[in-house]
């Protein structure tokens, strides 16, 4: 072997990792199995590195929560029911002294309905008004505004359901009291006469707008 070849092999050996399995006789062909093994290891490591990088890239491109089910949006009925329930709870807290929800009775509910009249938008003519009994009065008058009977009836229905959903017993539900039904009937008849609009019972339709909502309001029974 020429000196140039020996110098090349010597430089090549210094570039390889140690230890290298040498034989007693220096013979460059004996390095082929070792070099083949080392090259396979390098290839495997490169493939593993590229696969790992691919997984990381794919993972970063995924949108978080793709496989998580988004919570259903509360229906309009459920949202209104929750607002009404919280409003009634705040009304009880504002009483002097505050009324615990567990001690609420039909009298508190009746006071709450009368309290809401100040926010009403329905003109209810008094008996002394010249427009009493007229469905379309030709001029304004000083008669008070009240909550419409239909609005109060729907409100009681939502509060009755919310009471039981929040831990109240159906047997003690103040919104299902007979006194509440009597009050609503009197309001309906009074407004029908004052406004000259006879009450017509509507046929019941399927409650398609009432969706289910897992989330409950903040006020719970103790």
């Amino acid at each position: 072997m020429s000196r140039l070849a020996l110098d090349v092999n010597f430089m090549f050996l210094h570039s390889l990792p140690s230890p290298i399995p040498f034989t007693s006789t220096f013979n460059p062909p004996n390095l082929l199995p070792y070099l083949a093994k080392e090259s396979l290891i390098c290839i495997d490591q490169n493939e593993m590195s590229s696969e790992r990088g691919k997984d990381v890239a794919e993972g970063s491109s995924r949108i978080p929560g793709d496989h998580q089910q988004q919570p259903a949006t509360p229906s309009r009925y459920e949202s209104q029911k929750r607002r009404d329930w919280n409003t009634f709870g705040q009304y009880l807290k504002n009483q002097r002294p505050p009324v615990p929800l567990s001690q609420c009775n039909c009298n508190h509910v009746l006071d709450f309905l009368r309290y809401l009249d100040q926010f009403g938008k329905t003109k209810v003519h008094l008996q002394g008004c010249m427009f009493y009994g007229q469905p379309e009065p030709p001029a304004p008058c000083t008669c008070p505004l009240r909550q419409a009977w239909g609005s109060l009836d729907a409100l009681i229905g939502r509060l009755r359901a919310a009471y039981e959903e929040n831990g109240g017993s159906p047997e003690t539900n103040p919104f299902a009291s007979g006194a509440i039904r009597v009050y609503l009937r009197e309001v309906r008849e009074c407004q029908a006469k004052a406004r000259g609009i006879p009450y017509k019972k509507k046929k019941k339709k399927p409650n398609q707008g009432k969706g289910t909502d897992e989330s409950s309001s903040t006020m719970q029974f103790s």
Side-chain angles (χ1 to χ4, degrees), residues 41 54 89 105 212:
I41 293 176
K54 182 179 179 181
N105 56 43
T212 56

Side-chain angles (χ1 to χ4, degrees), residues 85-114:
W85 182 245
N86 290 334
T87 301
F88 180 71
Q90 189 62 45
Y91 170 80
L92 294 180
K93 292 179 180 179
N94 291 340
Q95 302 304 302
R96 294 293 179 268
V99 179
L101 188 62
S102 58
Q103 299 179 10
C104 171
N105 56 43
C106 63
N107 292 326
H108 297 107
V109 178
L110 291 174
D111 291 340
F112 176 64
L113 295 179
R114 297 187 185 101

Side-chain angles (χ1 to χ4, degrees), residues 103-191:
Q103 299 179 10
C104 171
N105 56 43
C106 63
N107 292 326
H108 297 107
V109 178
L110 291 174
D111 291 340
F112 176 64
L113 295 179
R114 297 187 185 101
Y115 161 79
L116 293 177
D117 268 337
Q118 61 183 309
F119 308 108
K121 298 180 180 180
T122 299
K123 176 75 71 173
V124 180
H125 301 288
L126 303 177
Q127 288 189 356
C129 179
M130 59 184 300
F131 300 134
Y132 182 83
Q134 296 186 24
E136 297 181 2
C141 65
T142 59
C143 291
L145 297 176
R146 295 285 186 263
Q147 291 286 346
W149 166 82
S151 299
L152 294 178
D153 184 62
L155 171 65
I156 290 298
R158 292 190 296 269
L159 291 175
R160 182 172 61 244
Y163 179 89
E164 298 179 9
E165 289 174 1
N166 287 275
S169 173
E171 290 75 17
T172 60
N173 193 333
F175 303 99
S177 170
I180 304 300
R181 292 193 294 271
V182 171
Y183 176 81
L184 291 176
R185 183 168 62 248
E186 292 176 351
V187 171
R188 182 188 68 193
E189 294 174 355
C190 176
Q191 292 188 3

